[in-house]
Structures are given as C-alpha cells and as structure tokens.
Amino acid sequence: MGRLQGRVAIVTGAARGLGAAAARALAIEGAAVMLTDVLESVAETAAALAQDGFQARHHSHDVTSDQEWQSVVAATISAFGEINVLVNNAGINLPGTIDDIEVDAAQQIMNVNYFGAMRGIKAVLPSMRSAGHGSIVNISSNSTRMIAGLTTAYSPTKAALALLTKNVAVACAQGGDDIRCNSIHPGPHETAMLLGDAMDGNSDAAIKLIQPMIDAIPMGRMGKPMEIGKAVAFLASDDASYITGAEIFVDGGLSLL
Ligand SMILES: NC(=O)c1ccc[n+]([C@@H]2O[C@H](COP(=O)([O-])OP(=O)(O)OC[C@H]3O[C@@H](n4cnc5c(N)ncnc54)[C@H](O)[C@@H]3O)[C@@H](O)[C@H]2O)c1
C-alpha cells in the first residue's frame, strides 16, 4: 500500500514541469490528486494520470484569485471528500537585474509566487482542520541561499515563501493542529521554466546554453522533475511526521558552494 493511500492532495501549477511530477509522485503513493493550473493543458496532464489508473481530476485555476481558490477547494471536496495535502508549486520568473526590473513586474511575480501560496494556505486550512491532519509543501528555490544573477525579483519571493512556511508551521503546531508545513528548494531542473521553448523540441540545445551552470553543480547534472516529486511525496507522508518548518534543498549541492 502507498504511503498516501486515502489522502487527498491539491497541486498548483500542475500542467507541466515540477508540478506535474509532484502530482504523479503523490498519485503513485496512493493519493487522489486535484491538478490545477492556468494552462488548459492541465486537463491532459490529469487525463494521463487517470489513464494510468490513478485518481486524478483537474481544475482551471489562477492562484492569485481567492474566488478561484474557493472553487478549487469546493471541487476537491466534492470529488474526493476532504483535503489533506497542498502543494504550492505554481510560480513564474522574470529574469533581470535591479536596473532591468520594473517594480510592477516584480509585484506580479510576488503575487503569484508568494501571495498565491498564502491565499492557498488560507483556503485549505479549514478543510485540513476538519480532516484532522494535513501537510503543506511550498515549492521555494535554492536561490534563497545564493545570489544566482538575474533573479533579483524572483529570489525574494521564494525567501518570503520560506519564511511564511516556518510561520505557518509554528502557528499550526502551537495551535494544536496536526498540520505540517515545509518548503522544498529546487536547484536547476529540466523544465520549461529553465529550458524555455527548447523543451518542445531540442532540449539538448538549451542544456548546452546553460552548460556553465550545470558544470557548477557538485553532482554534475540538472535535477529530474521526479526528484522533486519524490521529495514532495515524502514530506506529504507520515514518514515526515516530525518534520515541520524545514527547508529541503534538492539541488545536487549547488547552493553549498
Ligand atoms: N525548474 C527549476 O529549475 C526550478 C528551480 C527552482 C524553483 N523552481 C520552482 O518550481 C516551481 C515549478 O517550476 P517549473 O520549473 O515546473 O516551471 P514551469 O513554468 O514548467 O511550471 C510552472 C507552472 O505554474 C503555472 N502557473 C504560472 N502562473 C500561475 C498562476 N497564476 N496560477 C496557476 N498556475 C500558474 C504555469 O502555467 C506552469 O504550468 C515554480 O514555483 C518554480 O519557481 C523551479
């Protein structure tokens, strides 16, 4: 039996990349999964899981809207009965230096990466309390521990998310809720966010472009999306029952240099 048999999870930004991998990893462990995204292709990602025999549904969802969070929560409870796991994965990046980035654009990144996750936590907490337990996993970034150039607007959103994670962890624990909250900090992974359009065709070409970054990773390679998926499934499961407020770096050692 899987470690998440009988559990119900919501994964945001699940159409592709790390979110799609997290949804699959949770489903493999037995969870019923609601995949959400602004991209219509989230329907195909969920259908592929269902075709493989897993319990999966999808919902169109912009994480910056409280109203849409309420519909996702209602649809998940209607489909699967309760909510036990939330993976705040939806995220955007706009590379640039302090000279390039407009404050309005930086605010939009904050709205998705930080406030989107905060809205999600507030939306699911009542259902997790009713269910009696829960696990929240926030996808931050290893850029909270290093200055990686061009992440001027992005890194602060992920640092804020990591600190929100710890606040939620302590508030839930001290409030007597059996609800844990942790953050995962990925390094460079093979997804569209990093490799761009090349993901559709020739990702080898894109990998060549970012070869210097790959060479700097102590383990000598980028991460595979499923390596984040498995970390998410672990934190969601009772195997992580005493882990809350933790930062798990999944970056091949890059941020240690
Ligand atoms: N790929 C990496 O190397 C890497 C490294 C560190 C952190 N991350 C983080 O991991 C997460 C997933 O990244 P990815 O690489 O899979 O990127 P991705 O661009 O492939 O996937 C992100 C998903 O989020 C969705 N999304 C964007 N805005 C949204 C919104 N307002 N509401 C709902 N969904 C929205 C996108 O449509 C997309 O499907 C992000 O939070 C990202 O910051 C990725």
Side-chain angles (χ1 to χ4, degrees):
M1 199 169 82
R3 291 182 294 179
L4 295 168
Q5 207 65 45
R7 303 286 166 89
V8 177
I10 295 171
V11 182
T12 69
R16 65 186 192 192
L18 304 186
R24 181 164 285 273
L26 293 168
I28 288 170
E29 291 288 353
V33 187
M34 177 64 79
L35 293 86
T36 83
D37 207 296
V38 282
L39 294 179
E40 284 177 13
S41 59
V42 70
E44 290 152 37
T45 311
L49 283 181
Q51 206 157 22
D52 290 343
F54 300 120
Q55 289 189 79
R57 301 279 176 90
H58 71 276
H59 204 283
S60 163
H61 181 204
D62 181 339
V63 296
T64 64
S65 158
D66 279 331
Q67 209 180 344
E68 294 193 20
W69 267 110
Q70 288 314 320
S71 341
V72 167
V73 165
T76 307
I77 291 173
S78 157
F80 301 128
E82 60 184 26
I83 298 168
N84 315 115
V85 176
L86 169 64
V87 184
N88 277 314
N89 165 78
I92 56 173
N93 184 18
L94 186 62
T97 65
I98 187 65
D99 293 309
D100 308 327
I101 294 283
E102 298 298 335
V103 172
D104 286 351
Q107 218 153 28
Q108 180 52 20
I109 303 177
M110 192 62 117
N111 277 340
V112 175
N113 296 5
Y114 176 71
F115 288 114
M118 187 180 193
R119 288 178 200 285
I121 293 168
K122 288 175 74 67
V124 303
L125 274 180
S127 317
M128 287 186 174
R129 288 190 176 116
S130 302
H133 57 92
S135 172
I136 298 166
V137 182
N138 294 321
I139 306 300
S140 177
S141 164
N142 77 338
S143 66
T144 59
R145 198 149 76 177
M146 56 193 291
I147 301 302
L150 301 185
T151 56
T152 311
Y154 174 81
S155 304
T157 70
K158 295 299 191 176
L161 182 57
L163 211 55
L164 175 68
T165 301
K166 295 179 204 324
N167 276 273
V168 172
V170 170
C172 286
Q174 290 184 335
D177 295 318
D178 182 9
I179 297 172
R180 295 177 295 102
C181 187
N182 294 288
S183 54
I184 289 181
H185 298 246
H189 277 70
E190 295 171 6
T191 71
M193 180 177 274
L194 211 62
L195 301 181
D197 295 340
M199 284 299 286
D200 300 332
N202 182 2
S203 67
D204 284 349
I207 286 177
K208 262 188 205 139
L209 272 180
I210 56 168
Q211 192 60 46
M213 184 204 293
I214 297 172
D215 291 342
I217 301 170
M219 288 184 73
R221 65 171 177 86
M222 294 175 78
K224 308 271 180 210
M226 211 42 164
E227 291 177 302
I228 295 296
K230 286 177 181 172
V232 168
F234 164 68
L235 286 175
S237 80
D238 292 344
D239 283 353
S241 54
Y242 199 52
I243 302 179
T244 198
E247 298 184 356
I248 308 284
F249 279 73
V250 184
D251 70 348
L254 178 59
S255 59
L256 296 173
L257 298 181

